[in-house]
Amino acid sequence: MSKPAPSLGVPSSSSTVSVRIIDSTTLINFSPSYFFETSIYGHDDLAAPAYVFLITNTASDGSKRHILFDLGVRSDPENLAPTLRENLKHVGAIINVEKGIAQILDEAPTAGKSTPSSKEIEAIVWSHHHFDHTGNPSTFPSSTTLVVGPGFKSKMLPGYPEDEKSSLTSSDWEGRELREIDFPSPGLKIGGFKAFDYFGDGSFYLLDTPGHAVGHVCGFARVSVSPDTFVFMGGDAAHHGAEFKPTEYHPLPDSLPLTGSFKYHSIPCPGEVLLQAIADGRANANAKNLGSRTEPWYEPLAALCYDKPDTVATIRSLEEFDAQDSVFVIIAHDGSLKETLKWFPEEINGWAKENLDKSSRWYFIRDFAKVVDDFGSA
Ligand SMILES: [Zn+2]
């Protein structure tokens, strides 16, 4: 029996936004050892996409407001701040980016019609200040505001070149409004998170989700009414499905429909064998919850957290959103969703009717397919 999902206390509203997910064409290859306290046998490479969200609010007079949530990696990584370039070289990160977001918007056949051009973007929200989310705001007009989370201005300014060591470039906000969101306390809360009603009509909230980085925020969009359904834009609140799944709300099922071939892992992955190997503890000794049906398997690496207790608390609250049938949680780097998501210029608003959440819930487990290969016949 699974535990019933807790109430999130989302204020009621009849307003929705359109949400479109842009594949930022970013692909980052990192070792999972940079992200998680524990290692799982055979999971040696995190091939991470970086999702970008285009959010459109339509007023009663038909006028539209467009914002972006995150930008992926800039398409000219040679212009990242020098300190950051050095650090990336040092850790051996392999980063490929084909196009910037402004270019993707402007080249779309629908640009200026059903989708906005880069000139029509009111604001860019950074979930946080890491390079795989900040893109290149200077490719947008000066009328585009840059929105950041609490503490950003006091902790992160000035950027490069004023501060030689800064990982950020001042050109990201020079000549445009830099708006820091304040989450007053007491104030609006949704689930465990403080919330800010961005358009003022209940269609889209920014959530205060601290821990991974200074002022980390998530996005929470209402994409349909009666019934209410939502998209949770997770940024880097977590980096892998195994950090917030499984839970008591959604325990690992007895068998997994994981056979077949997939874009990310073309290995047939018989769920029964995987479960047996992890239950036997052969897959790894140091992952304490590995194989648990009710607790997530990965724990965020302290060195990657701005504040580890806050990071863990944010993930526990994220699980309460993931528990809802009405919420589709999409973290920025979840490669396991890549073949499930609908892409810009299409909307993701119909995800519930199309069963996208349910069909992809356990896809992250395919990252552990080597367990099956190596222990499956034993
Ligand atoms: Zn990231």
Side-chain angles (χ1 to χ4, degrees):
M1 266 293 279
S2 57
K3 194 169 151 182
S7 166
L8 297 176
V10 188
S12 63
S13 165
S14 57
S15 299
T16 60
V17 283
S18 148
V19 174
R20 295 178 251 230
I21 305 177
I22 302 173
D23 178 355
S24 69
T25 72
T26 299
L27 194 63
I28 312 169
N29 286 80
F30 261 121
S31 162
S33 62
Y34 285 112
F35 293 88
F36 313 118
E37 290 287 352
T38 49
S39 59
I40 294 179
Y41 180 87
H43 189 207
D44 302 323
D45 180 36
L46 202 67
Y51 302 143
V52 169
F53 295 85
L54 169 65
I55 300 132
T56 301
N57 175 280
T58 306
S60 50
D61 66 359
S63 61
K64 291 182 189 302
R65 295 171 65 185
H66 307 281
I67 64 171
L68 290 164
F69 185 83
D70 280 340
L71 289 182
V73 179
R74 62 188 296 156
S75 57
D76 54 346
E78 66 276 12
N79 289 323
L80 288 165
T83 309
L84 179 62
R85 283 204 314 265
E86 275 308 303
N87 287 344
L88 288 172
K89 211 158 59 177
H90 185 69
V91 298
I94 301 165
I95 298 157
N96 290 303
V97 191
E98 291 163 32
K99 281 180 189 180
I101 300 302
Q103 189 186 351
I104 291 173
L105 288 175
D106 292 341
E107 285 180 359
T110 49
K113 298 175 206 137
S114 61
T115 62
S117 73
S118 60
K119 293 188 178 49
E120 296 171 83
I121 299 298
E122 164 185 310
I124 296 158
V125 179
W126 278 354
S127 65
H128 63 299
H129 64 87
H130 291 160
F131 76 99
D132 50 323
H133 301 259
T134 52
N136 185 358
S138 75
T139 54
F140 290 82
S142 57
S143 54
T144 306
T145 298
L146 182 58
V147 176
V148 292
F152 178 89
K153 287 187 181 181
S154 64
K155 300 265 180 16
M156 301 310 298
L157 298 186
Y160 176 84
E162 289 79 14
D163 176 359
E164 261 186 22
K165 294 248 150 59
S166 175
S167 61
L168 290 169
T169 43
S170 300
S171 58
D172 290 349
W173 52 82
E174 260 165 13
R176 71 183 68 252
E177 185 190 354
L178 178 61
R179 179 183 182 192
E180 183 172 307
I181 300 297
D182 184 30
F183 293 93
S185 200
L188 179 61
K189 265 192 121 179
I190 299 179
F193 301 127
K194 289 187 218 163
F196 173 80
D197 185 349
Y198 184 87
F199 294 112
D201 62 2
S203 62
F204 180 67
Y205 298 92
L206 293 175
L207 304 177
D208 183 25
T209 49
H212 172 64
V214 171
H216 188 282
V217 294
C218 290
F220 187 57
R222 189 187 310 263
V223 294
S224 76
V225 291
S226 14
D228 280 348
T229 58
F230 304 88
V231 170
F232 188 103
M233 302 161 199
D236 282 1
H239 290 82
H240 194 275
E243 277 180 293
F244 61 97
K245 303 173 196 179
T247 59
E248 287 180 278
Y249 306 117
H250 284 301
L252 191 67
D254 291 336
S255 65
L256 295 168
L258 290 174
T259 46
S261 71
F262 306 91
K263 276 186 199 159
Y264 265 70
H265 297 283
S266 56
I267 309 162
C269 181
E272 298 286 331
V273 182
L274 175 64
L275 287 175
Q276 194 53 52
I278 55 186
D280 291 353
R282 283 175 295 165
N284 206 326
N286 78 348
K288 65 177 180 337
N289 294 328
L290 185 59
S292 166
R293 286 167 188 270
T294 53
E295 283 184 80
W297 302 346
Y298 270 143
E299 179 186 334
L301 183 70
L304 192 77
C305 303
Y306 176 65
D307 182 301
K308 169 98 183 244
D310 277 356
T311 306
V312 172
T314 285
I315 292 175
R316 294 293 89 83
S317 294
L318 172 70
E319 288 164 10
E320 297 186 349
F321 284 76
D322 184 60
Q324 317 288 327
D325 287 339
S326 59
V327 179
F328 190 9
V329 173
I330 304 171
I331 53 175
H333 304 305
D334 193 345
S336 76
L337 298 181
K338 214 167 174 194
E339 81 232 38
T340 302
L341 297 175
K342 296 243 159 143
W343 301 101
F344 170 86
E346 277 192 74
E347 293 182 346
I348 193 82
N349 289 47
W351 68 263
K353 276 197 190 121
E354 294 158 40
N355 248 334
L356 303 189
D357 180 35
K358 282 201 181 83
S359 65
S360 60
R361 166 155 295 279
W362 302 108
Y363 278 7
F364 72 92
I365 289 177
R366 296 196 310 244
D367 278 350
F368 312 121
K370 194 165 163 40
V371 174
V372 178
D373 274 8
D374 289 8
F375 300 123
S377 57

